Amino acid sequence: MRLALFQPDIPQNVGACIRLSACFGVELHVIEPTGFNFDDRAMKRAALDYGPLSHMTRHASWDDFQRDRPPGRLVLMTTKGATSLSDFSFKDDDILLFGKESSGAPDYVHAAVDARVIIPLQADARSLNLSVTAGITLWEGLRQTGAIGTL
């Protein structure tokens, strides 16, 4: 299972996902451009010393990511999801894709994915923080595929 962030805006979210990558032993793909410089202090502070343990690959564009990405389904986590997280069946080679914090994923990304999944929220809530969504989704995917017991 892998994480992929589409053009993230907030360095702290990337830092938190670097920690997820390190702690759960999964690849992290960052699809640029980002809304910050990668040497941003806020991202480094959020990632702490987990960077060397992380498995991060940066892609210069969506096209580069599509060309170079590993095999597996693209599963977009979105507020416009078609399937609830509780009803979705993960596979161990899924790539969990998360849109830009400020605007989500554009139509061409939606068109390219294999599944669109939503985490149900209370009616008045718009969305969860990106790194919180990544943690919830990754944990559920790893639990379903039996990878949690191998950590």
Side-chain angles (χ1 to χ4, degrees):
M1 197 152 303
R2 299 163 183 93
L3 297 173
L5 309 179
F6 177 83
Q7 300 180 352
D9 293 321
I10 301 172
Q12 294 89 338
N13 282 331
V14 176
C17 287
I18 288 171
R19 292 177 77 167
L20 282 172
S21 168
C23 290
F24 291 109
V26 299
E27 295 175 16
L28 171 63
H29 296 265
V30 177
I31 303 159
E32 299 184 13
T34 62
F36 56 90
N37 292 325
F38 246 84
D39 60 354
D40 190 294
R41 287 180 42 212
M43 185 187 68
K44 289 180 180 178
R45 186 171 41 252
L48 297 174
D49 57 349
Y50 289 88
L53 297 173
S54 178
H55 312 281
M56 184 175 69
T57 302
R58 292 167 58 187
H59 304 272
S61 68
W62 173 253
D63 290 338
D64 287 354
F65 170 73
Q66 284 289 73
R67 182 191 67 228
D68 299 335
R69 74 179 177 94
R73 296 183 305 179
L74 273 178
V75 178
L76 178 63
M77 297 304 297
T78 174
T79 58
K80 300 171 186 166
T83 305
S84 172
L85 179 65
S86 60
D87 295 330
F88 189 75
S89 295
F90 288 94
K91 295 181 180 179
D92 61 2
D93 64 349
D94 283 343
I95 302 167
L96 310 178
L97 179 62
F98 303 86
K100 189 178 207 172
E101 295 95 340
S102 61
S103 57
D107 290 342
Y108 65 88
V109 171
H110 278 263
V113 302
D114 300 294
R116 293 180 303 120
V117 177
I118 187 169
I119 296 174
L121 303 176
Q122 297 213 14
D124 294 340
R126 285 189 319 271
S127 65
L128 291 166
N129 171 279
L130 181 142
S131 58
V132 170
T133 302
I136 291 168
T137 307
L138 179 61
W139 178 261
E140 178 59 15
L142 293 174
R143 185 195 67 78
Q144 281 187 22
T145 59
I148 291 296
T150 63
L151 296 178

